[in-house]
Amino acid sequence: MANGRYIGGGIPICPEANPDDGKLDVVLIDHASKWKIVRCLPALLMGRVLKLDVTHHIRCEQVEISSPGMHLNVDGEVFLMDKAAFGIHPGRLKLIW
């Protein structure tokens, strides 16, 4: 789940994300072996993650995910939970430049 293109200081997790479009960008990864995921890392680091056959990209305004005992990384902090809901609220944050 992202509203921006990068995570972790520059990793392009969702190269097509646009923080101004009023949408959340969801990148789904098919169930794959750990070795297949490891082989996908170079594509992730080069901004080509959405071109992999194991990834899918969806834009939405809200989404709910659930999985018993899932680990959810929110801006670098990891939380253990069973369900999480995300939504977008266009125009809620006013920035002055």
Side-chain angles (χ1 to χ4, degrees):
M1 202 78 48
N3 65 348
R5 293 181 179 119
Y6 302 98
I7 62 168
I11 299 170
I13 193 67
C14 189
E16 295 180 11
N18 178 353
D20 294 350
D21 67 0
K23 303 284 185 188
L24 290 171
D25 288 78
V26 181
V27 177
L28 300 169
I29 302 170
D30 292 339
H31 179 74
S33 70
K34 290 179 184 178
W35 291 110
K36 185 166 187 170
I37 297 296
V38 169
R39 288 194 313 264
C40 293
L41 289 177
L44 171 66
L45 295 174
M46 294 185 306
R48 297 182 185 143
V49 68
L50 300 180
K51 295 181 183 194
L52 297 171
D53 62 351
V54 296
T55 60
H56 309 278
H57 178 221
I58 300 168
R59 286 194 173 102
C60 59
E61 292 178 8
Q62 58 185 0
V63 67
E64 185 174 298
I65 57 173
S66 62
S67 179
M70 75 175 158
H71 292 82
L72 187 66
N73 183 322
V74 179
D75 200 25
E77 298 291 326
V78 178
F79 299 94
L80 183 63
M81 58 184 62
D82 293 330
K83 186 190 312 187
F86 301 89
I88 195 90
H89 302 282
R92 282 278 182 93
L93 179 62
K94 302 293 183 193
L95 299 176
I96 300 172
W97 295 96

